[in-house]
Amino acid sequence: MNFKYYIWVILLVSSAVLLCGGQTALAQESAAAAAIVPASGPLEVIFFWVLAIMIIGSALWIALTGSVVRMAVGLFFSFGGVALLFFLLQAYFLGVVQLIVYVGGILVLVVFGIMLTSSSPHVRYQVPRMELATTGLVSLLLFMVLGHVLYHAPWSTTGPQLPVSMNELGRGLLTDYLVPFELAGVVLLVVMVGAAYLARQEKR
Amino acid sequence: MVDWLVIQFHTQLGFSIVLLLVVIPAVLTGVGYSTYFERKVSAWLQDRHGPNRAGPLGLLQPVADGVKFLLKEDFMPAGADRPLYILAPMLSMGIAMLGLAVIPWGGSYQPAGLAEPLQVQVAGLDIGLLYLLAVGALGVYGVVLAGWSSNNKYAFYGGLRAAAQMVSYEIPLGLSILVIVLASGQLRLENIVEQQTALWWGFLPQWNIFLHPVSFIIMFTCVLAETNRAPFDLAECEQELVGGFHTEYNAMKWAMFFLGEYTHMIVGSAFMVCLFFGGWHVPGLAAEQTTLWGVLLQLAVMGAKISIFIFVFMWIRWTLPRFRFDQLMRLCWKGLLPVSLALALVVVVELFFNVPRSYWSLIGEVGVVAVALVAVSLFRIPVTGRQWYLPDLDNRTPLRGGSV
């Protein structure tokens, strides 16, 4: 039997478990939030399921397809779905940052790299069976750890449910968290200069 | 469920849903008639008649085109990557339409017997501006995937060009928007519009265009580039790349790229109208109208402003020749980027002295342009045109029968 089917089964079962876990978490959240935010109708639940299926389905596509560009497209939908999930949870800033940084920035570069290196749509990526088995095992272990954390973590359902406003966020970044913020900027600058140095043509 | 619907209908959510059902068909119709308009404008600029057979003045031409697109044989190149080939036009159109959600179309509407006014806007996000920027950044995928999945080298080059172009022009676009964000201190589009409804000397509306004209020009250039319109339409450059990224597309799939491009134009125009031209603000009326007729008037004014922008897009397309690719990149990285950075710095200085949105903004913008012009001419900085490091004109092999 092909190893691919084992992976299928593992991924499907794990995604089903994850979906149910997320669903219960959301139900608790909305029950607690109902006191503060009155508008939590059935729409949220419907959108949650649609998004969850989209995220997990595209993640599955990444794992199972053989073409590298199709994997990138799967990643696009996966990242996009996470961004929409942030929107659903009213964390608009996080959602937009997810869109700008991951979907609009990093993924474009990934797609660029793939396109410049792969020659034709018909090149398929072949995974050796041994590799498939080890990755499957590692993913299973990771899933077990994550599932354990998901079920046993003390989720706070009584804390402040209202999202942090843009104002507070900006103020925080420029006052309390200025040093980490600047540090991240410096690191990115160093990376950029390094990349430019590496990509520069040698002077002859 | 019924109770819930009834409750929702009198709230912002219900109103937003209704608005969505109005906005999407309206924009799609607008897109259809933009194609008609484009052909008429091009005909006018080239001293021709344009479409005039289908219906009076050719007004039924978009309908006829739509029918034609639907009935055409829908074929696919043999070597295409099927799912991506089908997905690309959908992405192109779908992503372009996402931007419609946050545009404030007509202020707010106060129906009788309702405590709070309803926003004439599908989603009043806190960070509507950032959302529009993020959604604009996604526009590249449709083009790139189309180019790649067609299994055609011309299409592929078109896709790559589009990707490089869009990624580059996003940066000056973001910086010129940053100027407005800093000056107004707002990320909500409706608040930015509201801020512009005040008057100077009792008659001149405080539109940002009067304060930040240079930022507007930079933003306009970037929107042209982001929508892949001429003179930046290198992704579909006919002379070099056959049809560019959509070489292998036909029938409705091709039409969806077209719809995506025009929707992108409408969203981009609405964006610029909101940031620089006071959005739904009617110049004669000082304050916001919340009655039904007032809102309709504001909607009409918004539509008129967007139409003017679309006309300018077309005017430019049929007037200016296309850039060369190296010129395009140089214009972005050496021309627009430093200037827009300098403009952002100038606004920060104005904020430091607490004089944003005053005549100092105009002075600052003009000053930056003056300094840039002086620097370019003094240090002979190449921004467009022929470059000093390209082969020397005088050392070229002369053409037969004459000197260079």
Side-chain angles (χ1 to χ4, degrees), chain A residues 69-70 103 107-108 115 122 166, chain B residues 79 81 127 138 141 144 148:
Chain A
V69 173
R70 286 190 194 175
V103 189
L107 195 53
V108 169
M115 287 188 173
H122 298 288
M166 237 348 247
Chain B
D81 190 327
I127 44 166
L138 305 185
Y141 284 101
V144 167
W148 194 82

Side-chain angles (χ1 to χ4, degrees), chain A residues 13-14 19 23 30 33 48 80 82 96 100 116-117 128 137 141 159 163 166 178 187 196 199:
Chain A
V13 171
S14 55
L19 275 175
Q23 176 56 34
S30 56
F48 170 78
V82 172
V96 165
I100 291 179
L116 286 175
T117 49
L137 202 68
L141 280 174
M166 237 348 247
L178 183 64
V187 168

Side-chain angles (χ1 to χ4, degrees), chain A residues 102-123:
Chain A
Y102 284 98
V103 189
I106 291 174
L107 195 53
V108 169
L109 291 184
V110 170
V111 169
F112 230 129
I114 290 168
M115 287 188 173
L116 286 175
T117 49
S118 78
S119 48
S120 132
H122 298 288
V123 177

Side-chain angles (χ1 to χ4, degrees), chain B residues 30-105:
Chain B
V31 164
Y33 275 90
S34 292
T35 62
Y36 167 78
F37 194 47
E38 171 110 55
R39 294 168 70 178
K40 275 289 187 195
V41 169
S42 72
W44 176 54
L45 289 172
Q46 296 170 348
D47 205 10
R48 296 184 283 114
H49 283 295
N52 60 357
R53 295 293 153 196
L57 294 173
L59 274 172
L60 291 178
Q61 189 67 41
V63 183
D65 283 342
V67 172
K68 184 187 78 179
F69 284 136
L70 285 173
L71 294 181
K72 254 187 161 178
E73 184 193 351
D74 187 18
F75 67 82
M76 198 180 285
D81 190 327
R82 283 184 73 95
L84 299 190
Y85 182 84
I86 296 168
L87 184 71
M90 292 197 231
L91 271 186
S92 184
M93 195 175 143
I95 287 173
M97 295 189 83
L98 281 179
L100 297 173
V102 292
I103 289 165
W105 298 102

